[in-house]
Amino acid sequence: MHTISNCGHDESGRYTGGRAGDQTGTEWQLRSWYNRPWDCVLRHPSGKVRAKIAELAEKAARNDRIGYDQGERSTFWDALKANNYNPAAIKKPCETDCSAGVMSIIRAVGYLLDMPALKTVPITSTHYMRGVLKGAGFTVLTGSKFLTSPDYLLPGDILLNEQSHTATNISRGALAGSGDDTPEPAPSNYAGRCSVKLAEMVTGNYGPEVRTVQILLNAKGYKGADGKALTVDGEYGANTAYAVEQMQRKAGMEGINFGTVSNKTWKLLIG
């Protein structure tokens, strides 16, 4: 059986509200590969990194103290940090979801292997994982041979459906090579950079400059769609865009750049 590490639902087959931990052994589990379908495979060029991703993803799937709950998705990362980035050492029940689980493991690998580009990846959603991981040095594979069967997959490859799901490949595909044949090289300069210029930010961008925008929005009292102060995480997500929109609406700026940080919006932020 070709195995993947898959975190998909709570003990009731739902996405929120379950008890902490894996009550059924299937909230985060090792299971056979399946065609979600996948939009792309994200592959790190380093075999050492891929092996460590696969190792941690397998340990997480085997530890029934790690369960699924979107509402408490950050508690897995907290538990990883508290246990020296070893999922097998987690004893207190915690929760995650598919994207938080994958991104937490990649971040943990960054700490274990002392790789700044991986240490700083945000624990984002599936919508932004392609751009974030490409910026952190991963290669984006979109050929049908990578998406429609497991034959060409390597341990540590990340399977991604951008709208709804992600999982980690564990087994080596029957036809997989060394991993050196990836056709689309990716930059390795995520750490310390923004994905765009400061005054061109849109949803999906990330980096230290986005953190600056979030800090300024919080200082001015603008909140996200959830009614809370923005989390200063460097990710231009829905809550950050919502806060920008509120500031623009108050200033009578609704129009073509609504929800994005244009030059005029930046002047509002620093004014």
Side-chain angles (χ1 to χ4, degrees):
M1 180 179 75
H2 189 104
T3 304
I4 66 173
S5 176
N6 188 81
C7 185
H9 55 75
D10 70 12
E11 64 269 25
S12 301
R14 299 176 181 175
Y15 302 117
T16 59
R19 291 170 53 200
D22 191 342
Q23 318 305 318
T24 63
T26 62
E27 296 185 45
W28 193 339
Q29 64 178 322
L30 296 174
R31 57 157 295 170
S32 60
W33 178 93
Y34 64 101
N35 191 345
R36 177 75 183 186
W38 307 110
D39 295 318
C40 65
V41 168
L42 297 154
R43 173 177 293 174
H44 198 277
S46 166
K48 186 176 182 180
V49 169
R50 294 195 304 269
K52 184 59 70 172
I53 289 173
E55 175 193 335
L56 299 192
E58 181 170 357
K59 286 180 176 178
R62 293 186 182 279
N63 187 347
D64 287 343
R65 292 175 178 85
I66 307 168
Y68 186 104
D69 188 337
Q70 291 180 354
E72 298 182 353
R73 67 196 297 264
S74 65
T75 59
F76 172 55
W77 170 246
D78 294 337
L80 266 181
K81 287 194 298 182
N83 288 277
N84 298 315
Y85 309 108
N86 179 8
I90 294 173
K91 304 299 182 185
K92 181 180 179 180
C94 61
E95 303 278 60
T96 188
D97 61 18
C98 65
S99 54
V102 168
M103 297 303 292
S104 294
I105 282 174
I106 291 171
R107 185 185 280 186
V109 170
Y111 281 93
L112 292 170
L113 301 183
D114 193 22
M115 300 182 68
L118 302 187
K119 288 181 183 179
T120 56
V121 294
I123 299 177
T124 186
S125 71
T126 58
H127 300 288
Y128 310 122
M129 280 179 58
R130 184 197 295 237
V132 167
L133 292 183
K134 183 177 179 181
F138 285 70
T139 297
V140 181
L141 303 172
T142 56
S144 61
K145 71 177 185 178
F146 298 108
L147 307 181
T148 58
S149 94
D151 290 345
Y152 291 89
L153 298 181
L154 296 172
D157 282 349
I158 306 301
L159 311 173
L160 178 64
N161 178 303
E162 292 179 280
Q163 295 304 311
S164 59
H165 194 52
T166 185
T168 303
N169 184 63
I170 302 299
S171 302
R172 177 176 290 272
L175 301 177
S178 65
D180 298 328
D181 58 347
T182 51
E184 185 182 342
S188 57
N189 55 355
Y190 170 82
R193 291 188 72 246
C194 184
S195 58
V196 289
K197 295 179 181 178
L198 191 62
E200 297 177 356
M201 292 181 198
V202 297
T203 302
N205 293 145
Y206 52 85
E209 288 86 346
V210 180
R211 292 172 60 90
T212 299
V213 168
Q214 292 168 329
I215 290 169
L216 290 171
L217 287 166
N218 282 338
K220 290 178 176 294
Y222 292 101
K223 301 183 185 300
D226 58 3
K228 300 178 182 177
L230 299 176
T231 300
V232 182
D233 57 6
E235 179 187 343
Y236 199 114
N239 276 329
T240 300
Y242 182 88
V244 169
E245 290 173 7
Q246 300 314 300
M247 182 179 65
Q248 291 171 327
R249 184 175 284 112
K250 184 177 180 180
M253 285 177 54
E254 297 182 48
I256 191 169
N257 292 320
F258 195 50
T260 69
V261 179
S262 62
N263 282 312
K264 190 173 181 181
T265 304
W266 182 246
K267 291 178 181 178
L268 280 179
L269 280 166
I270 63 176

